[in-house]
Amino acid sequence: MDTLVQALILGVVQGLTEFLPISSSGHLIIVPFLFGWTDPFITSLAFSVMLHVGTLAALLVYFRAEWFRLVPAGFATIRDRSF
């Protein structure tokens, strides 16, 4: 199977399982094992970290409106020393 297809499948698995109360990192280990994928890139720690960074980036973009309110409010709290 093509490495790009494997990466896409693992990206979808990461995205779907990130918010379940079980380890999404575990899924990134189990899925290649179950499908017999032995590509060193797909099973590497660096690839797993990049999938998690992609999830973080997607969440930051999705919740950008909240971040644009929370970050200035946090600095204002520090500046004014009050909640």
Side-chain angles (χ1 to χ4, degrees):
M1 183 178 287
D2 186 36
T3 304
L4 181 60
V5 174
Q6 292 175 354
L8 288 172
I9 291 170
L10 284 178
V12 169
V13 168
Q14 167 67 19
L16 293 176
T17 61
E18 182 64 32
F19 301 104
L20 295 177
I22 49 179
S23 174
S24 62
S25 298
H27 288 100
L28 298 180
I29 295 169
I30 291 172
V31 169
F33 175 77
L34 291 176
F35 286 118
W37 298 341
T38 59
D39 188 327
F41 172 71
I42 294 295
T43 58
S44 71
L45 178 62
F47 181 69
S48 179
V49 169
M50 290 313 300
L51 283 175
H52 282 85
V53 169
T55 302
L56 173 63
L59 287 173
L60 290 174
V61 169
Y62 184 81
F63 290 111
R64 67 186 172 275
E66 286 80 3
W67 281 107
F68 287 140
R69 285 192 346 249
L70 286 172
V71 172
F75 285 127
T77 300
I78 294 169
R79 182 189 66 229
D80 300 338
R81 294 190 177 122
S82 69
F83 290 106

